[in-house]
Amino acid sequence: MSTPYPFTAVVGQADLRLALLLNAVSPAVGGVLVRGEKGTAKSTAVRALSALLPRVDVVPGCRFSCAPGAPDPACPDGPHETGPGTARPARMVELPVGASEDRLVGALDIERALAEGVKAFEPGLLADAHRGILYVDEVNLLHDHLIDLLLDAAAMGASYVEREGVSVRHAARFLLVGTMNPEEGELRPQLLDRFGLTVEVAASREPAQRVEVVRRRLAYEDDPAGFAARWAAEEREVRARVVAARALLPQVVLDDGSLLQIAATCAGFEVDGMRADIVMARTASALAAWAGRTAVRKADVRQAALLALPHRRRRNPFDAPGLDEEKLDRILDGFPDDAPEPDPEPGGPQDGGPGDDGPGDGGPDGGGGGIPPQGSGPGASDRQPDTGDPAGPDDAAGPDAADPADPSAAPEAPQPSAQGPDGPGQAAVAAAEPFRTKVLSVPGLGEGASGRRSRARTAHGRTTGAQRPRGQLTKLHLAATVTAAAPHQRARGRSGRGLVVRKDDLRQATREGREGNLVLFVVDASGSMAARQRMGAVKGAVLSLLLDAYQRRDKVGLITFRGAGAELALPPTSSVDAAAARLEQLPTGGRTPLAAGLLKAREVLRIERLRDPSRRPLLVVVTDGRATSAGGLGGDPRALSGRGARLLAAEGVASVVVDCETGPVRLGLAGVLAADLGAPSVTLDGLRADSLAGLVHDVRGSAAYQTSDANRRAA
């Protein structure tokens, strides 16, 4: 096993280290979600935390890590006799993004359960992580049904495996830590709320800090064991401090004054539900214990709010997480200051205790936000002071990374000019208020990633039939299995009441649910769309469709066309936030190269088909149908656009045209484009879910639409 990077050698990232240590002190806080760009030591810090957790006493031979003093009475390996146990290090179990449900919760041998009545259970990762750490890297990419199972187990402290009336339960209490890069997509708000704390991390822009990152990284790679040995003293100090804080935590008093501060803070930020209040209370108590105090102070409440509330006050996926600290201070200023505390006894936890940071390190008013010191102790001259962010074994901060916390370092957004290479343009127009859209879906039955848009064969959903299992049996179809086994009972010598079941009798249930699609927007940004009121409505419609795509777990891409050609403004991504930001900056003006936009879409879809063949695309063309430029292709613009649309239709691309034409005189060109695409056309008003227009159930249209399509072609 390779030597892990020491936790105390992590440079900077004070909030990240503090949040992890608070969960080590009090696992009831509910875990940590770490958000940040690549190369910011997210994975390194989490993997290093396990070395700081106290050793765990377990029942010898128990696969579920039961405590010898209080074994789980429902343990599948039990019952256990109370008595001495064996000590082992706390585990850190990593959940791969592509893990199956059985790998997470465990698997039951259905054949033995039916034939012998035996609950043969193979534990999963939740059992391995009991009394340790469960780490999910890129948690935002984890399938929804796995996240639901994971967070339910974290909330209940137990895992339940149900298979056709056969059930197994075992304890599953662990420290849940997830990391994610927001550029790759967001978690659903209800899932965000299940993480106790959240931390935003970013790479430093100070050259001296970055030098220290590189120095420690290279030293670790050259001699991992020697590097870890130089930090062993600091690791022991922090480990001892965690143990001391855990022992002190039951004595911490959370008085009514602190509870009122917590309630006022949550109410002031209009946080939904009561989970935030509970998490803040637990976090404030852990902060006090970490600081070696038995009383919660106002500074503890403030620090708890900064860690527990930012991800709970988002109203839609386009709201950036964060907390207004000035507003937080105004709320807490309405409460009296803390009474002065007596001086600690010599040798007590506040007087040179393990990992003591000294006065003032805990945040305002000496609160409990202190973190382990760095660059102190033997060998400090070789390590330099705490100066930056680590690039540990798994994360390397690149010199070109952007720091969202530093406005001066962020690249300036392109400002559209009145005259550019694509012809005359207007400044970007603000989007109209988004609305709830009608359901647009891809026809047929897919097999893509789980989501909420189009029909698909999935592991979860309503049962539609049965088949022989192609691999390991996961979802038993009981009726089909009994039907397959029944004709052979006499030949198999059945004599009792039990059913004689063979492996060939087992049948897998086939289920139908919903999948997520690739929704590729092709948006007309030409001069014909440049009327400010119309473009605002168009942006509002696209923003509404983006919100719908977020809720249905789609990937999205954005192509715009204007002036001389088309541009892939946003390659297909799971980050709907990025698509909304590009849309907001979209300028308008110039001629209309509709054919270039369609051909660009065809090329993007061809590449994505190679990358992810199971994810079906949905093309949404937002235009008034005019084509006034060939976009460098040569030929008649309208003929070229018709040819490009028919190419997409011939390749079976499911499409829908959002007709943006307004006014009393309508040319109907968007309808002609829809006919060439073999797609329905819907107006901006008809896109609204509450409009009187007919609901679009399938983007390829109904029989009535196909009839009108044929008539339009004949005309």
Side-chain angles (χ1 to χ4, degrees):
M1 180 178 178
S2 61
T3 303
Y5 194 91
F7 186 86
T8 50
V10 172
V11 185
Q13 306 294 22
D15 286 343
L16 169 59
R17 291 186 289 130
L18 176 61
L20 291 172
L21 288 169
L22 291 178
N23 274 272
V25 171
S26 175
V29 166
V32 185
L33 176 64
V34 187
R35 299 165 44 92
E37 59 196 18
K38 55 185 177 294
T40 49
K42 301 187 298 294
S43 300
T44 300
V46 175
R47 292 189 174 105
L49 178 66
S50 60
L52 301 181
L53 298 182
R55 293 175 67 85
V56 179
D57 290 328
V58 298
V59 174
C62 179
R63 297 174 297 168
F64 301 88
S65 301
C66 282
D72 182 6
C75 175
D77 284 355
H80 300 301
E81 298 291 337
T82 58
T86 59
R88 62 160 176 79
R91 292 175 180 158
M92 196 207 74
V93 178
E94 189 163 349
L95 173 61
V97 170
S100 65
E101 180 178 335
D102 283 350
R103 184 71 186 96
L104 176 62
V105 300
L108 277 169
D109 189 333
I110 299 298
E111 184 179 0
R112 291 189 63 191
L114 290 176
E116 305 173 26
V118 176
K119 294 182 180 180
F121 180 68
E122 184 65 28
L125 295 177
L126 291 180
D128 293 341
H130 180 46
R131 305 174 69 194
I133 301 173
L134 184 62
Y135 171 49
V136 189
D137 194 13
E138 306 295 351
V139 65
N140 51 324
L141 304 182
L142 200 64
H143 288 176
D144 285 351
H145 70 281
L146 292 181
I147 293 179
D148 293 338
L149 291 170
L150 175 65
L151 296 179
D152 284 345
M156 296 185 296
S159 174
Y160 294 86
V161 183
E162 301 281 348
R163 296 289 187 273
E164 302 295 338
V166 181
S167 62
V168 172
R169 172 217 170 268
H170 65 83
R173 291 183 295 275
F174 46 81
L175 169 57
L176 176 63
V177 182
T179 59
M180 60 174 284
N181 184 347
E183 295 176 357
E184 297 173 342
E186 286 286 354
L187 281 172
R188 300 198 310 266
Q190 59 268 40
L191 299 183
L192 279 172
D193 187 55
R194 299 297 290 271
F195 282 93
L197 310 179
T198 187
V199 177
E200 294 280 337
V201 295
S204 170
R205 292 299 174 268
E206 290 294 329
Q209 295 176 347
R210 300 178 75 93
V211 165
E212 181 61 18
V213 170
V214 176
R215 180 183 290 116
R216 294 189 187 184
R217 164 70 169 165
L218 295 179
Y220 172 81
E221 287 185 344
D222 290 342
D223 183 9
F227 183 82
R230 291 198 295 273
W231 290 90
E234 285 83 350
E235 293 280 290
R236 285 194 297 270
E237 288 180 2
V238 177
R239 190 181 301 112
R241 186 172 176 182
V242 169
V243 173
R246 279 191 175 188
L248 184 62
L249 184 62
Q251 305 173 36
V252 173
V253 177
L254 187 67
D255 59 23
D256 289 345
S258 297
L259 286 173
L260 283 173
Q261 294 172 16
I262 291 170
T265 301
C266 293
F269 282 102
E270 301 179 0
V271 177
D272 296 332
M274 295 298 299
R275 184 173 284 120
D277 303 65
I278 297 170
V279 171
M280 275 190 64
R282 290 171 174 165
T283 305
S285 298
L287 281 162
W290 178 248
R293 290 184 274 100
T294 57
V296 173
R297 307 184 68 185
K298 186 190 292 188
D300 299 327
V301 174
R302 185 184 190 279
Q303 182 66 60
L306 293 175
L307 294 172
L309 297 187
H311 61 302
R312 290 189 164 89
R313 54 181 307 274
R314 297 181 60 167
R315 290 295 179 262
N316 66 62
F318 306 143
D319 290 340
L323 206 66
D324 185 345
E325 295 193 38
E326 292 184 0
K327 180 177 180 180
L328 174 61
D329 290 334
R330 288 196 300 270
I331 293 173
L332 294 178
D333 284 345
F335 293 88
D337 294 333
D338 300 311
E341 295 184 0
D343 292 334
E345 294 293 331
Q350 290 183 340
D351 185 20
D356 186 23
D357 295 333
D361 278 358
D365 302 323
I371 54 177
Q374 293 180 320
S376 59
S381 59
D382 298 331
R383 290 191 299 270
Q384 301 298 319
D386 178 7
T387 52
D389 302 336
D394 301 294
D395 296 2
D400 297 329
D403 184 358
D406 183 4
S408 63
E412 294 184 2
Q415 298 297 326
S417 60
Q419 180 73 31
D422 292 335
Q426 295 183 357
V429 180
E433 190 70 21
F435 52 84
R436 188 167 64 90
T437 66
K438 292 177 178 175
V439 180
L440 305 175
S441 62
V442 180
L445 198 63
E447 294 182 340
S450 61
R452 298 184 177 183
R453 184 172 297 278
S454 304
R455 294 174 56 224
R457 285 181 286 269
T458 60
H460 298 269
R462 63 186 182 89
T463 301
T464 58
Q467 63 181 13
R468 291 181 182 272
R470 298 175 182 174
Q472 184 180 8
L473 179 69
T474 55
K475 299 290 184 182
L476 177 74
H477 194 296
L478 184 59
T481 299
V482 172
T483 301
H488 308 290
Q489 296 305 295
R490 181 174 298 178
R492 294 172 182 173
R494 174 185 171 186
S495 58
R497 299 179 61 184
L499 189 68
V500 181
V501 179
R502 303 279 172 81
K503 189 172 184 178
D504 290 343
D505 301 327
L506 299 179
R507 295 294 183 268
Q508 175 87 20
T510 57
R511 298 174 181 251
E512 182 179 310
R514 295 282 170 176
E515 68 176 358
N517 298 114
L518 166 60
V519 182
L520 183 60
F521 294 93
V522 180
V523 180
D524 186 348
S526 64
S528 64
M529 304 282 290
R532 297 186 69 84
Q533 184 175 0
R534 185 198 299 184
M535 198 61 202
V538 168
K539 284 189 175 183
V542 177
L543 189 64
S544 303
L545 290 168
L546 284 172
L547 277 167
D548 183 68
Y550 167 79
Q551 294 164 353
R552 300 185 188 280
R553 313 303 289 169
D554 296 317
K555 289 179 68 175
V556 296
L558 177 63
I559 293 173
T560 63
F561 59 93
R562 61 183 286 262
E567 175 191 4
L568 179 60
L570 181 71
T573 175
S574 297
S575 178
V576 178
D577 304 53
R582 299 292 174 89
L583 179 70
E584 194 68 28
Q585 299 171 3
L586 179 65
T588 59
R591 297 172 68 83
T592 311
L594 176 57
L598 296 175
L599 293 178
K600 186 70 172 179
R602 180 171 178 257
E603 177 65 15
V604 170
L605 293 178
R606 182 187 67 81
I607 295 173
E608 287 301 310
R609 197 176 295 119
L610 296 174
R611 290 176 175 171
D612 190 358
S614 64
R615 189 181 288 269
R616 298 186 295 164
L618 171 60
L619 183 66
V620 180
V621 185
V622 184
T623 182
D624 57 9
R626 290 179 172 84
T628 60
S629 170
L633 300 173
D636 178 63
R638 291 186 60 180
L640 288 170
S641 63
R643 191 180 309 163
R646 288 189 290 273
L647 279 173
L648 287 165
E651 293 173 357
V653 177
S655 309
V656 62
V657 176
V658 179
D659 185 358
C660 302
E661 190 173 30
T662 58
V665 179
R666 300 174 62 88
L667 301 178
L669 297 177
V672 175
L673 174 64
D676 288 330
L677 285 168
S681 175
V682 57
T683 64
L684 289 175
D685 182 63
L687 194 62
R688 294 177 178 270
D690 55 356
S691 72
L692 298 178
L695 181 63
V696 182
H697 285 291
D698 191 300
V699 298
R700 296 302 295 272
S702 61
Y705 168 76
Q706 293 169 3
T707 301
S708 63
D709 175 29
N711 294 338
R712 192 182 299 112
R713 287 177 180 273

